[in-house]
Amino acid sequence: MAREISLFEAIRTQRAIRRFRADPVSDEAITRVLEAAIRAPSPGNRQSWYFLVVRDPETKRRIGEYYWQATLEAQREPGYAQIASSPVYRSADDLARRIGEVPVMVLACVEVRGGAAGPPGRGPITLGAAIYPAVQNLMLAARGLGLGTCLTTRHRRFEREVKELLGIPDHVETAALIPLGYPAEGEHFGGSRRRPTTEVAFYERWGRKKASA
Amino acid sequence: MAREISLFEAIRTQRAIRRFRADPVSDEAITRVLEAAIRAPSPGNRQSWYFLVVRDPETKRRIGEYYWQATLEAQREPGYAQIASSPVYRSADDLARRIGEVPVMVLACVEVRGGAAGPPGRGPITLGAAIYPAVQNLMLAARGLGLGTCLTTRHRRFEREVKELLGIPDHVETAALIPLGYPAEGEHFGGSRRRPTTEVAFYERWGRKKASA
C-alpha cells in the first residue's frame, strides 16, 4: 500500500467525485471505509447507524431510476433554472443520469425511533448529528484510499420506494446515498471552491470578524 | 510542529473529550480547525455554514448556564434514569456542570432559509448534511492538533436564548456546540467502544451480513 495520507492532506483535497471508472472496489477497501465510519462521534454512543452496501447491478439500476426521476421532479420546480447552470448542478445532473452504474452505492441509514419529534421524516436538525459525522468519516477514508465519493440525498424523494426495494424497516431512514468508486479520467481530488474562513467565522458574537485573543 | 498525523490514525483515535486543561488555544490552531471545517462537502456548494468562536469568559458562563438548565430539564424527563447511569451520560453530565469554563466554544451554525420544510427548527434529516460533515472535519482537525472536542447539542433547548445572546439571526440555527481545548490529565484519545462493522453493515439488502463480492 502507498504511504498513509496525512489527515490534513485528506481534508484539504477531498472533493465531490461524480464520474467513476468501472473498476470494482475491493471488499477490503469497503471494510476500511466502514471501519472509519463507525469511529465517528455518536450521540450518547447509541450508534444508531447502519450502512447498506449495494453492488448488485439490478438493484443499483433500480435505485438509479428513482434517483433520475427525483432529479426530473427537482428540475421542474420553481427556482431550479437559476441554479441549474452552476457547474455543481450540471455535474450533479450528469451523475443523476448514470448513478445506477457506479461501482458501489453506500446507503447511510439511521434509526429515528424515539429520536424524531413530530411526524416521520421530520425532526430537529440535530437528528443529523447521529449520521453525518460517520458519513464524513466514510468519505474521508475513501479519499485516503484514492476512492471518490459524493454526498447525495436526491433519492429521498422516493424514500419509501427505496426502503421497500432494500427491505429497510420503517424506523430507519436513509440519510445519504454515497456513490463510491475510483475517479474517472479527468476527475481529480482537491480544488473545491470555498469562501474563506474570514467570511464564515465570527468571534464572540455573530458578525464580528476580528479574532479577540 | 510534530509529525503530521495520518488520516486513519486520526479517525481511529478520535473520541469525545469532556475534560480540558485551562491552557488557552492559539488563534492559529483555531484557524486550522476552521480551515478544515470549510473543506467538508456542502450540498450544492452553498456553504450555508457559519462558525462562532467564543472565548469571552462571561459569554461562555452564560451559555454554560443555559446548558446546565437544559441538562436539568433532560434529567427530569421519563427515560433519563435508565441512561443516566451509563458512563457516557455521567461524563456528559459532568461536562454540563463545567462547560462554561472550557477554553473555547465553537457554535456550528447553518442557514435554514428556504431549506427547512415546515415550522422553524423542523425539517428532513438531510438538513444536517449541510453542517455535520463540517463539524466532523473540525473535530478531526482538532484531534490532529492534539485538541479535544465533543459534539454537543443540549443547548438547543435554549436555542432562542443562545441565539439572542450571540446575536444570531432568525434564519440561522445552531447545530452543535463544540467545546475545544487540550485534554485534561487522565483524558486520552482512542478506545471508543463501537459495535463492529459486521453488526451495522449490510450487503445488497437490509439485514444481509455476508458480503457478496
Side-chain angles (χ1 to χ4, degrees):
Chain A
M1 182 179 150
R3 74 178 173 87
E4 288 251 313
I5 193 170
S6 91
L7 168 67
F8 288 100
E9 184 186 344
I11 286 175
R12 192 176 61 245
T13 60
Q14 185 197 5
R15 66 167 291 161
I17 299 291
R18 299 193 183 88
R19 296 188 309 115
F20 302 93
R21 301 210 308 263
D23 308 32
V25 179
S26 71
D27 287 346
E28 188 202 340
I30 289 174
T31 299
R32 278 199 88 183
V33 303
L34 296 174
E35 295 280 359
I38 65 162
R39 288 290 134 201
S42 171
N45 200 22
R46 281 185 294 276
Q47 306 170 59
S48 52
W49 48 45
Y50 292 93
F51 304 91
L52 218 163
V53 178
V54 178
R55 285 186 283 188
D56 174 63
E58 175 60 15
T59 309
K60 288 188 294 185
R61 190 189 64 73
R62 291 181 66 185
I63 295 172
E65 274 178 16
Y66 289 124
Y67 197 93
W68 178 240
Q69 287 305 312
T71 298
L72 293 176
E73 278 191 13
Q75 288 176 346
R76 281 192 293 267
E77 283 177 2
Y80 198 88
Q82 290 137 272
I83 56 173
S85 60
S86 87
V88 170
Y89 276 85
R90 265 187 294 143
S91 169
D93 286 355
D94 280 351
L95 169 66
R97 260 185 220 98
R98 300 168 283 98
I99 199 167
E101 298 157 27
V102 298
V104 184
M105 291 177 175
V106 181
L107 276 292
C109 305
V110 60
E111 284 182 312
V112 290
R113 189 160 43 190
R122 303 255 168 257
I125 191 167
T126 51
L127 275 180
I131 189 65
Y132 293 110
V135 167
Q136 175 61 1
N137 265 17
L138 187 155
M139 295 174 71
L140 277 175
R143 163 66 192 97
L145 300 175
L147 287 160
T149 62
C150 56
L151 200 174
T152 84
T153 57
R154 287 186 184 176
H155 72 280
R156 293 256 322 175
R157 284 171 187 257
F158 293 93
E159 173 77 356
R160 194 166 43 83
E161 290 83 355
V162 169
K163 281 171 63 171
E164 195 175 304
L165 175 65
L166 298 169
I168 298 172
D170 285 345
H171 68 281
V172 172
E173 290 198 37
T174 69
L177 190 174
I178 306 153
L180 180 72
Y182 292 96
E185 193 144 342
E187 291 278 58
H188 56 93
F189 292 111
S192 61
R193 281 164 307 194
R194 293 290 190 267
R195 291 190 286 167
T197 54
T198 48
E199 289 184 26
V200 298
F202 300 137
Y203 294 82
E204 307 306 344
R205 218 186 135 70
W206 186 266
R208 193 178 297 172
K209 287 189 180 175
K210 190 114 181 74
S212 68
Chain B
M1 180 176 154
R3 75 179 173 87
E4 287 251 315
I5 193 170
S6 92
L7 168 66
F8 289 100
E9 183 186 345
I11 285 174
R12 191 176 61 246
T13 60
Q14 186 196 2
R15 66 167 293 161
I17 299 290
R18 299 194 183 87
R19 296 188 310 116
F20 303 92
R21 301 211 305 265
D23 308 33
V25 179
S26 71
D27 287 347
E28 190 202 340
I30 289 174
T31 299
R32 279 198 88 183
V33 303
L34 296 174
E35 294 281 359
I38 65 162
R39 288 289 135 200
S42 171
N45 201 21
R46 281 186 294 276
Q47 304 169 61
S48 52
W49 48 45
Y50 292 92
F51 304 91
L52 219 164
V53 178
V54 178
R55 287 185 281 188
D56 174 63
E58 175 60 14
T59 310
K60 288 187 294 185
R61 190 190 63 74
R62 291 181 65 186
I63 295 171
E65 274 179 15
Y66 288 123
Y67 198 93
W68 178 239
Q69 286 306 311
T71 299
L72 292 176
E73 278 191 13
Q75 288 176 345
R76 280 192 294 266
E77 283 176 2
Y80 198 89
Q82 288 138 273
I83 57 175
S85 60
S86 87
V88 170
Y89 276 84
R90 264 185 295 143
S91 169
D93 287 355
D94 279 350
L95 169 65
R97 260 183 219 99
R98 300 168 284 98
I99 199 167
E101 298 156 28
V102 299
V104 185
M105 291 178 176
V106 182
L107 277 291
C109 305
V110 60
E111 284 182 312
V112 291
R113 190 160 43 191
R122 301 258 170 256
I125 191 167
T126 52
L127 275 181
I131 189 66
Y132 293 110
V135 167
Q136 176 61 1
N137 265 16
L138 187 156
M139 293 173 72
L140 277 176
R143 164 67 193 95
L145 300 175
L147 286 161
T149 61
C150 56
L151 201 174
T152 83
T153 57
R154 287 187 185 177
H155 72 280
R156 294 257 320 176
R157 285 172 186 256
F158 292 93
E159 173 76 356
R160 194 166 44 83
E161 290 82 355
V162 169
K163 281 170 66 171
E164 195 176 304
L165 174 66
L166 298 168
I168 298 172
D170 285 345
H171 69 282
V172 171
E173 291 198 37
T174 70
L177 190 175
I178 305 152
L180 179 73
Y182 292 96
E185 193 143 343
E187 291 278 59
H188 55 94
F189 292 111
S192 62
R193 279 163 309 192
R194 294 290 189 268
R195 290 189 288 166
T197 54
T198 48
E199 288 184 27
V200 298
F202 300 137
Y203 294 83
E204 308 305 345
R205 218 185 136 70
W206 185 266
R208 192 178 297 172
K209 288 190 182 173
K210 190 116 181 75
S212 68

